[in-house]
Amino acid sequence: MGDHKEQPLRVGAAVRRRRRALDLTLAVVAERSGLSVPFLSQIENERARPSQTSLEKVADALRTTAVELLAAADPACSVDVVRAGDAGNRAEPGARSLVRGHHQMHASEFTGDHDAGRELQFRNDQLMYVADGAVEIEAEGRAYRLGRGDTLYLTGGVRHRWRATVPETRLLVVAVAEHIEAVRDRPRR
């Protein structure tokens, strides 16, 4: 119960996200794929499941692969519980994913020490929330000190680094998932 791997994938959401990320209309995708607009709409709205051949046509029209669309597909379940002791969600010591699978949102919890010298940059927006302790975040040439309950919002593309300034600090990071192109590439300064 609650295991997203038991549920069928909803590829329509992945197709819609990819199409919108490319600023394409259903009519353009229909023309490129040779499929009809109503059929593509049914796929996006989970009212039709494309065959492997149709999915490959859609993927080609969206300049991706069927494998990538399936990897970005949402599980059909709407509820999934991630337990605190679930070791399968630990990407590295002191870090754990709070959301399983490929979704529009990604959330992680960082506890304790962190590589403060490592500069980070993500394509999509992030919200950093201090659940316990305190952190110092350097972004855009400024240092921000945050304590329990404080948040910092970073738009996509902002280079930043952070460090815990109190032992056993817990930092929650919530972001638009990296596999979703939520923002366009911004010109570098």
Side-chain angles (χ1 to χ4, degrees):
M1 185 163 135
D3 186 355
H4 71 284
K5 292 176 185 169
E6 298 172 0
Q7 302 293 327
L9 293 178
R10 298 182 316 162
V11 73
V15 169
R16 179 182 296 115
R17 284 191 299 267
R18 178 69 180 171
R19 178 179 61 80
R20 287 180 177 169
L22 295 172
D23 286 329
L24 299 176
T25 64
L26 280 172
V28 169
V29 176
E31 183 179 320
R32 288 181 181 180
S33 67
L35 302 171
S36 71
V37 170
F39 180 59
L40 291 170
S41 177
Q42 289 176 342
I43 290 171
E44 285 192 1
N45 291 300
E46 306 298 342
R47 283 185 251 136
R49 290 187 55 100
S51 66
Q52 183 65 32
T53 302
S54 293
L55 185 59
E56 288 171 3
K57 288 179 180 182
V58 171
D60 287 344
L62 296 173
R63 297 186 180 109
T64 189
T65 66
V67 171
E68 287 294 320
L69 287 175
L70 289 171
D74 292 338
C77 68
S78 59
V79 176
D80 188 30
V81 175
V82 177
R83 301 283 180 201
D86 188 355
N89 286 341
R90 299 209 180 272
E92 58 189 69
R96 74 179 182 113
S97 179
L98 301 175
V99 179
R100 276 191 279 243
H102 292 288
H103 297 284
Q104 295 181 28
M105 181 190 76
H106 182 74
S108 297
E109 176 186 53
F110 297 91
T111 305
D113 291 335
H114 171 73
D115 181 2
R118 188 170 129 208
E119 185 175 69
L120 306 168
Q121 180 182 30
F122 298 98
R123 178 171 175 78
N124 297 329
D125 296 358
Q126 287 190 347
L127 176 74
M128 301 174 91
Y129 171 77
V130 181
D132 283 311
V135 298
E136 184 176 275
I137 302 169
E138 183 184 314
E140 296 290 308
R142 290 188 57 196
Y144 301 89
R145 295 178 194 273
L146 304 177
R148 183 176 183 196
D150 291 342
T151 63
L152 179 85
Y153 180 83
L154 299 166
T155 58
V158 171
R159 293 179 188 276
H160 62 284
R161 69 182 90 230
W162 66 271
R163 68 182 184 88
T165 57
V166 173
E168 295 306 310
T169 290
R170 284 186 30 233
L171 179 69
L172 304 181
V173 178
V174 180
V176 175
E178 284 294 310
H179 68 275
I180 298 171
E181 297 182 30
V183 297
R184 298 179 193 275
D185 287 324
R186 292 186 175 106
R188 290 192 167 208
R189 294 184 219 169

